[in-house]
Amino acid sequence: MDASTQTISAALLDWYDAHARVLPWRSAPGAPPPDPYRVWLSEVMLQQTTVAAVGPYFDKFTRAWPTVEALAAADEGEVMAAWAGLGYYARARNLIACARAVAARGGTFPDTEAALRELPGLGAYTAAAVAAIAFDRAATVVDANVERVVARLHAIEEPLPAARKPIRARAEELTPPRRAGDFAQAMMDLGATVCTSRAPRCLLCPLAQWCAGRRVGAERFPVKPPKKAKPQRRGQAFWIERAGQVWLVRRAGRGMLGGMLALPDDGWSARGDGAELPPLDGPWQHLGTVRHGFTHFDLDLQLMLYSGSDLARFAPNDGEWWDIARLDQAGLPTLFAKAAGLALAQRDETGESG
């Protein structure tokens, strides 16, 4: 590190010592690193999710499975149900696979970035974060907050995603050989609380005097390409009820919302509209439409109620009847929780009990 980068890094660490967020998966600035299991779990949960949303899930997971060995031994369905609502469900499947891989190593996480990368589901960011925060390795951690801070600090004009290469190079220059974990968390905290995407609080920023972006308008950075319109998909979900129970299916392990309990549907996907027939012939009533946004497409999901009285012919190969009174324990993904909420609202209005 040259003199200028050392000065910037030192200023940021001084700020972090005084202003670090208190989070359940962290150690205080300068304290010994936290349990690698808690660091890894939190970092997986925090991918594309806010700290506020993750807090209750982290507490629930660590109460149910306080060690990586406990998580490795957990029932996969229970883990997926506990994850419901956090989104990006491939993370939950990778979480289970990684926990089992670590348990097979005797419950000990590897302590280098390269070795962490060999675990299931750990990409460059998560491996660097665990190496830096849990083991104080001099790994460079670049999430969206760090990306924003560095792009503004150096006024990087190149648009994303091409800008990620120079942003990473600059972040590597700034990462100190000691207290790398605190430095990574300091960058994250600065981006989350001061160098925010809108209305950055530049007067409170410990790096303001070195910030090239501030002089030309910090909110310009990082430069983003024009947004592409997301495809609009359409599908149907089917509500089949009898005697206070609703029929649920377990989605395939891979693909959208994989491994989750859900209402049966017509096979919609990110690539196209649904086209499969309902699970059984008979009268169907349209209850309404649920709208939901995924990362790469938007979905209008029509909810169809089976309004016939004869379910004797209904004998699918898989699935289960689930008590409606405890439907909140099924761990439905957000889309199907919305659909179930719509069905239950209609049910309450009509006074039907199934």
Side-chain angles (χ1 to χ4, degrees):
M1 299 176 73
D2 60 30
S4 61
T5 55
Q6 286 180 356
T7 301
I8 292 170
S9 299
L12 184 59
L13 284 169
D14 287 345
W15 174 85
Y16 181 68
D17 288 342
H19 299 284
R21 290 181 291 178
V22 177
L23 299 172
W25 46 83
R26 278 190 181 175
S27 294
D35 179 359
Y37 170 63
R38 296 172 71 86
V39 176
W40 162 74
L41 179 62
S42 67
E43 288 298 338
V44 174
M45 288 184 167
L46 285 164
Q47 292 168 21
Q48 303 188 57
T49 311
T50 65
V51 166
V54 164
Y57 284 90
F58 182 83
D59 181 66
K60 176 168 58 177
F61 266 70
T62 51
R63 285 176 182 271
W65 305 292
T67 65
V68 70
E69 294 96 335
L71 183 59
D75 176 79
E76 193 164 323
E78 290 182 8
V79 175
M80 298 300 291
W83 189 274
L86 264 181
Y88 301 96
Y89 293 96
R91 293 181 298 168
R93 297 194 294 276
N94 288 333
L95 196 77
I96 298 164
C98 183
R100 290 173 179 170
V102 174
R105 290 171 43 92
T108 301
F109 281 83
D111 64 357
T112 66
E113 191 174 357
L116 286 161
R117 285 291 301 271
E118 295 178 5
L119 293 174
L122 265 74
Y125 166 77
T126 307
V130 174
I133 298 168
F135 300 108
D136 203 27
R137 298 288 187 179
T140 300
V141 183
V142 183
D143 70 353
N145 285 316
V146 177
E147 193 172 80
R148 184 167 58 255
V149 170
V150 174
R152 288 173 175 174
L153 184 63
H154 295 283
I156 295 173
E157 295 280 0
E158 195 170 1
L160 294 172
R164 292 199 170 104
K165 185 174 181 179
I167 286 172
R168 180 166 188 84
R170 293 290 194 173
E172 287 176 351
E173 293 172 1
L174 288 166
T175 301
R178 301 179 67 181
R179 293 191 68 188
D182 281 350
F183 180 79
Q185 293 172 115
M187 291 285 272
M188 295 173 191
D189 281 10
L190 188 70
T193 64
V194 176
C195 193
T196 49
S197 56
R198 295 181 182 178
R201 304 162 71 193
C202 296
L203 293 177
L204 301 179
C205 181
L207 308 185
Q209 63 180 300
W210 300 286
C211 184
R214 184 188 180 198
R215 292 190 282 272
V216 293
E219 285 193 60
R220 287 179 47 202
F221 305 99
V223 180
K224 297 180 180 178
K227 282 189 176 181
K228 294 181 180 179
K230 291 199 289 187
Q232 179 67 54
R233 304 301 185 206
R234 291 172 176 80
Q236 291 185 330
F238 304 103
W239 182 272
I240 305 169
E241 182 179 342
R242 73 169 191 192
Q245 296 180 313
V246 62
W247 185 255
L248 298 181
V249 297
R250 179 76 64 182
R251 294 177 67 85
R254 294 185 176 274
M256 296 292 301
L257 311 179
M260 307 292 291
L261 277 176
L263 298 174
D265 64 35
D266 64 352
W268 57 267
S269 72
R271 295 178 295 278
D273 297 343
E276 296 176 12
L277 296 174
L280 72 164
D281 295 331
W284 290 92
Q285 176 186 346
H286 180 221
L287 291 183
T289 299
V290 171
R291 293 186 172 177
H292 190 74
F294 291 95
T295 304
H296 301 297
F297 69 103
D298 292 322
L299 176 69
D300 280 353
L301 186 71
Q302 292 185 331
L303 181 60
M304 307 300 294
L305 167 70
Y306 179 70
S307 54
S309 57
D310 180 16
L311 286 173
R313 296 174 291 108
F314 184 54
N317 294 326
D318 58 358
E320 60 185 292
W321 291 105
W322 192 278
D323 289 341
I324 291 173
R326 61 182 188 93
L327 192 56
D328 60 343
Q329 300 173 34
L332 298 177
T334 303
L335 168 66
F336 290 103
K338 288 180 182 178
L342 177 60
L344 295 176
Q346 296 278 2
R347 192 172 179 269
D348 292 342
E349 286 179 10
T350 61
E352 295 178 359
S353 58

